[in-house]
């Protein structure tokens, strides 16, 4: 109650003071109340201060509350003084600040916002477009430079990765036939690069075919002057193009010896073919003056560069050897020779067919009592479809069950193509079918049966299919090997198709047996395959293969010979390494 009474009294006193001053007026320097009482004006601040200093100071006695005891003077809390006229305005909210900043920056373009900085120190001119200039220290420049650095690092990383992938792809799934570093390394079985294929010859030895007789291997190939890319004419050559057919031998299928021109197994081709010429040892080559200028008008005469892709088989009936080959058909007119007849001039006229094409070839046969030759040629052709571009790449096949000889070959349709890669990638694409021709009992002449088409080029083959070879597995599956693409490009490869009947239909394998990049090879193809160690019924034994691939040497891009083993598993052909 005492506390309430004091509070009420204080309030009443304040109210009475307010009432006592209500309605006063100033008259002649004095204050007049409503009752007419006169009062002096209050003193100014200086006078009030002087009087307050002269007056005796009253002793302050703190009021003691009966509820709470008084605190010592040194412990009495002091309330902070409040001066309303000194209050600072509240800072703007973050949203308001953001809106103000956006309003200021809206006057700037994207480039001015991110790639310039203010030139004046006045904050009000910070967002004035006229007071800003380009700066390499702007955050836009820094972000751009950082992004470019990351992009360059990413590109460099991708390039390194692509290089590593390329090197890995060149190594192939199981290494490379060239050995760890030395390209002449034959890569032993315990080598670091244990590939199923290996180098046999680094010489230009195109279109190899192989034969095994009495523990000796024989390999036959196209003439050495054919198909050398970027040929270095200053490179010294021995017997360059001097042989119609090249021959090499081996006793272990690993190390091979290339024989010289004196061992040419086909020193003369049939009279139906352009003979060519060979320079005597140590003398320059001189083209003959017979039919070369007329028959080989599409390109300058070459030393015996006209004989391609031989195939050799031993005839079971008498043990003799038959060599099939393709060569340029001559145009000699001789009334006493049935095989010589004039050919239409457009066959040899370079302007009649778009693109660059060699003179057309035909296929003939020769026979010998030795695998080394010399082979004596027949004076008639086995296949000569000149109106379709000619015939090349003969391949012999003997059917054990029926004792019949067959000959496979390619109709050289791309030789009449409309230009492009290998003369046949410009529309319309000309067909290059692989045909099967049944031969007579001696394997030297064609029967009256028309040839059967086994396979032809489709869109996946590029300009052509060629270099056919046929074998039969112990399970009775026929494997037709062939090449596609262009032999002068990296598109050249080795494919195969299978059938249960010799005449087909043939079903292509899902993947090429060999292509560029496999085991470090470039443009592998044109394979020769034979079996060794078979029983009397032809079953059992092991398959051996030889094929060409592009190798870049000092003389140019040659087609070296590579070798390997092969297994036939159902309808799949699998490469295997031949042990030393």
């Amino acid at each position: 109650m005492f506390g309430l009474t004091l509070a009420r009294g204080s309030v009443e006193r304040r109210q009475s003071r307010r009432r006592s001053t209500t309605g006063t007026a100033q008259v002649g320097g004095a204050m007049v109340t409503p009752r007419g009482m006169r009062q002096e004006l209050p003193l100014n601040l200086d006078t009030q201060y002087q009087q307050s200093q002269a007056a005796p100071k009253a002793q302050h006695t703190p009021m003691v509350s009966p509820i709470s005891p008084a605190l010592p003077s040194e412990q009495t809390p002091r309330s902070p003084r409040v001066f309303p006229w000194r209050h600072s305005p509240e800072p703007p909210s973050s949203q308001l600040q953001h809106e103000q900043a956006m309003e200021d920056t809206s006057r700037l373009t994207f480039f001015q916002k991110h790639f310039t900085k203010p030139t004046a120190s006045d904050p009000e001119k910070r967002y004035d477009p006229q007071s800003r200039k380009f700066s390499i220290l702007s955050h836009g420049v820094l972000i751009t430079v950082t992004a470019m650095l990351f992009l360059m690092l990413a590109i460099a990383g991708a390039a390194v990765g692509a290089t590593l992938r390329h090197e890995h792809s060149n190594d192939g799934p199981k290494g490379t036939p060239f050995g760890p570093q030395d390209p002449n390394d034959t890569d032993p079985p315990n080598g670091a690069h244990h590939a199923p294929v290996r180098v046999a010859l680094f010489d230009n030895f195109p279109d190899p075919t192989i034969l095994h007789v009495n523990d000796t291997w024989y390999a036959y190939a196209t003439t050495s002057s054919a198909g050398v890319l970027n040929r270095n004419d200053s490179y010294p050559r021995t017997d360059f193009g001097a042989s119609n057919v090249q021959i090499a031998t081996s006793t272990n299928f690993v190390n091979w010896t290339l024989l010289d021109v004196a061992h040419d197994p086909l020193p003369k081709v049939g009279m139906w073919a352009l003979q060519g010429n060979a320079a005597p040892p140590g003398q320059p080559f001189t083209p003959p003056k017979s039919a070369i200028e007329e028959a080989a008008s599409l390109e300058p005469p070459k030393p015996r560069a006209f004989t391609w892709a031989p195939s050799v088989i031993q005839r079971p009936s008498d043990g003799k050897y038959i060599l099939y080959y393709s060569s340029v058909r001559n145009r000699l007119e001789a009334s006493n020779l049935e095989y010589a007849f004039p050919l239409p001039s457009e066959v040899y006229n370079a302007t009649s067919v778009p693109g660059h094409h060699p003179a057309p070839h035909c296929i003939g046969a020769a026979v010998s009592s030795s695998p080394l030759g010399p082979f004596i040629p027949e004076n008639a052709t086995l296949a000569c479809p000149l109106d379709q571009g000619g015939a090349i790449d003969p391949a012999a096949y003997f059917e054990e069950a029926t004792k019949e000889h067959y000959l496979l070959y390619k109709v050289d349709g791309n030789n009449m193509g409309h230009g492009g890669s290998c003369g046949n990638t410009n529309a319309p694409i000309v067909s290059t079918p692989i045909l099967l021709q049944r031969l007579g009992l001696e394997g030297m002449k064609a029967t009256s049966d028309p040839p059967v088409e086994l396979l032809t080029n489709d869109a996946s083959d590029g300009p052509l299919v060629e270099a056919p070879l046929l074998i039969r597995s112990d399970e009775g599956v026929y494997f037709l090997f062939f090449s596609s693409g262009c032999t002068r490009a990296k598109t050249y490869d080795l494919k195969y198709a299978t059938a249960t009947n010799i005449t087909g239909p043939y079903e292509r394998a899902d993947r090429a047996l060999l292509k560029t990049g496999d085991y470090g090879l470039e443009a592998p193809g044109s394979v020769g395959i034979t079996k060794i160690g078979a029983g009397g019924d032809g079953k059992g034994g092991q398959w051996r293969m030889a094929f060409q691939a592009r190798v870049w040497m000092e003389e140019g891009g040659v087609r070296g010979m590579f070798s390997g083993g092969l297994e036939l598993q159902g309808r799949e052909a699998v490469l295997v390494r031949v042990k030393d």
Side-chain angles (χ1 to χ4, degrees):
M1 289 296 294
F2 180 75
L4 294 175
T5 303
L6 291 176
R8 185 182 298 119
S10 175
V11 172
E12 290 175 353
R13 284 193 296 273
R14 287 195 298 270
Q15 291 176 350
S16 66
R17 283 197 297 270
R18 282 196 294 270
R19 285 195 299 268
S20 65
T21 59
T22 302
T24 59
Q26 181 176 355
V27 180
M31 297 295 296
V32 180
T33 66
R35 297 180 181 180
M37 297 181 66
R38 215 181 145 84
Q39 291 185 349
E40 296 293 332
L41 288 174
L43 300 175
N44 56 34
L45 293 177
D46 292 339
T47 306
Q48 290 181 20
Y49 177 75
Q50 293 173 2
Q51 290 179 359
S52 66
Q53 293 295 322
K57 297 187 180 204
Q59 185 72 26
H60 172 73
T61 304
M63 184 177 295
V64 179
S65 172
I67 299 176
S68 60
L71 295 173
S73 58
E74 63 274 8
Q75 298 182 9
T76 303
R78 300 178 62 184
S79 300
R81 295 182 180 182
V82 179
F83 303 93
W85 58 87
R86 294 185 181 178
H87 282 180
S88 300
E90 295 183 1
S93 63
S94 59
Q95 182 178 358
L96 181 60
Q97 292 177 347
H98 175 70
E99 292 175 355
Q100 292 175 349
M102 293 299 294
E103 183 178 357
D104 292 337
T105 58
S106 64
R107 295 180 296 170
L108 304 178
T109 64
F110 177 85
F111 177 80
Q112 291 171 339
K113 287 180 184 179
H114 302 288
F115 293 90
T116 64
K117 279 195 168 188
T119 57
S121 60
D122 187 353
E124 294 183 358
K125 295 184 178 181
R126 179 178 180 84
Y127 299 106
D128 182 5
Q130 303 299 325
S131 300
R132 301 178 68 90
K133 69 175 183 179
F134 174 79
S135 175
I136 60 174
L137 298 179
S138 62
H139 65 273
V141 173
L142 296 178
I143 292 174
T144 302
V145 172
T146 303
M148 292 179 65
L149 288 175
F150 276 109
L151 179 62
M152 293 174 64
L153 289 174
I155 294 175
V160 172
T163 301
L164 293 176
R165 287 192 299 271
H166 176 70
E167 291 178 354
H168 179 70
S169 65
N170 279 348
D171 285 342
K174 295 182 181 178
T176 161
F178 300 106
Q181 298 197 6
D182 184 1
N184 296 304
D185 191 343
T186 56
D187 189 17
N190 58 352
H193 297 251
H194 195 155
V197 297
R198 70 175 85 211
V199 175
L201 289 171
F202 276 107
D203 302 271
N204 192 39
F205 202 80
D207 308 310
T209 186
I210 53 177
L211 181 70
H212 185 253
V213 180
N214 297 330
D215 298 327
T216 300
W217 287 95
Y218 299 88
Y220 307 85
T222 295
T223 182
S224 63
S225 59
V228 179
L229 300 184
N230 301 328
R231 189 173 68 189
N232 178 11
D233 291 330
S234 64
Y235 180 79
R237 294 177 176 87
T238 302
D239 299 339
F240 180 65
S243 299
N244 284 314
V245 173
Q246 297 185 86
I247 186 171
T249 61
S250 174
T251 58
N252 59 4
F253 201 69
V254 174
N255 302 306
W256 290 81
T257 301
L258 179 61
L259 305 184
D260 60 18
V261 64
H263 295 84
D264 184 353
L266 185 66
K268 289 187 178 295
V269 294
M271 292 299 295
W272 59 266
L274 190 65
Q275 295 299 308
N277 191 24
Q283 297 184 21
F285 167 73
T286 301
K289 295 182 180 180
S290 57
I292 283 190
E293 289 81 359
E294 185 177 10
S297 60
L298 292 183
E299 53 186 339
K302 295 180 180 179
R304 295 192 178 181
F306 310 109
T307 304
W308 295 351
S311 176
V312 181
I313 188 174
Q314 186 173 20
R315 188 163 57 192
S317 60
D318 59 4
K320 290 186 177 182
Y321 302 91
I322 307 174
L323 184 150
Y324 302 95
Y325 64 99
S326 63
S327 192
V328 173
R329 184 72 160 86
N330 68 37
R331 294 189 61 202
L332 290 176
E333 293 183 303
S335 58
N336 60 333
L337 297 176
E338 295 181 359
Y339 57 83
F341 58 91
L343 299 176
S345 60
E346 59 267 19
V347 172
Y348 296 98
N349 187 357
T351 61
S352 66
V353 181
H356 175 77
H357 302 284
H361 283 56
C362 297
I363 294 175
V367 64
S368 173
S369 58
S370 167
L372 289 171
F375 286 84
I376 307 302
E378 293 288 300
N379 286 329
T381 61
L382 285 173
C384 195
L386 294 177
D387 59 336
Q388 301 176 58
I392 62 172
D393 297 341
Y397 177 76
F398 182 76
E399 182 72 290
E400 291 282 352
T402 60
K403 307 299 180 184
E404 290 179 309
H405 288 273
Y406 289 88
L407 183 71
L408 294 88
Y409 61 92
K410 168 211 175 182
V411 174
D412 204 14
N414 58 292
N415 201 31
M416 301 186 73
H418 299 84
S421 180
C422 274
N424 196 32
T425 52
N426 295 340
I429 306 300
V430 179
S431 178
T432 62
I434 291 174
L435 303 184
L436 178 71
Q437 174 68 61
R438 190 164 67 91
L439 302 178
L441 294 178
E442 294 184 349
M444 302 294 289
K445 295 181 179 180
T447 65
S448 59
D449 298 341
V452 177
E453 180 178 314
L454 302 184
L455 190 133
T456 191
N457 51 316
D458 61 22
S460 67
D461 298 318
L464 54 83
V465 290
E466 64 183 15
L469 185 129
L470 187 65
I471 60 175
R472 186 175 182 269
S473 71
D474 291 348
E475 290 76 23
V477 178
Y478 292 91
F479 282 75
L480 174 62
F481 294 87
F482 61 96
S483 289
S484 70
C486 182
T487 185
R488 296 190 291 271
K490 292 182 179 181
T491 57
Y492 205 63
D493 56 17
L494 176 58
K495 298 178 178 178
Y496 67 96
T498 57
T500 55
N501 190 293
I502 190 172
T503 57
Y506 282 85
E507 179 181 353
R508 293 176 179 240
D510 294 334
R511 184 193 184 278
L513 183 63
L514 284 171
K515 57 183 178 58
T516 296
D518 291 348
Y519 310 108
L521 300 170
E522 178 179 332
S526 193
V527 69
I529 303 175
T530 193
K531 181 188 275 191
I532 59 171
D537 57 356
K539 295 185 178 181
Q542 297 176 332
W543 294 102
R544 296 288 184 265
M545 61 180 287
F547 62 92
Q548 71 175 33
R550 187 70 63 181
V551 180
W552 293 92
M553 307 295 287
E554 185 178 353
E555 65 176 298
V558 303
R559 288 177 282 177
M561 186 175 77
F562 294 74
S563 64
L566 191 69
E567 289 183 357
L568 306 180
Q569 303 173 359
R571 287 179 174 261
E572 182 180 8
V574 179
L575 296 172
V576 294
R577 187 175 180 84
V578 176
K579 297 181 180 179
D580 292 350

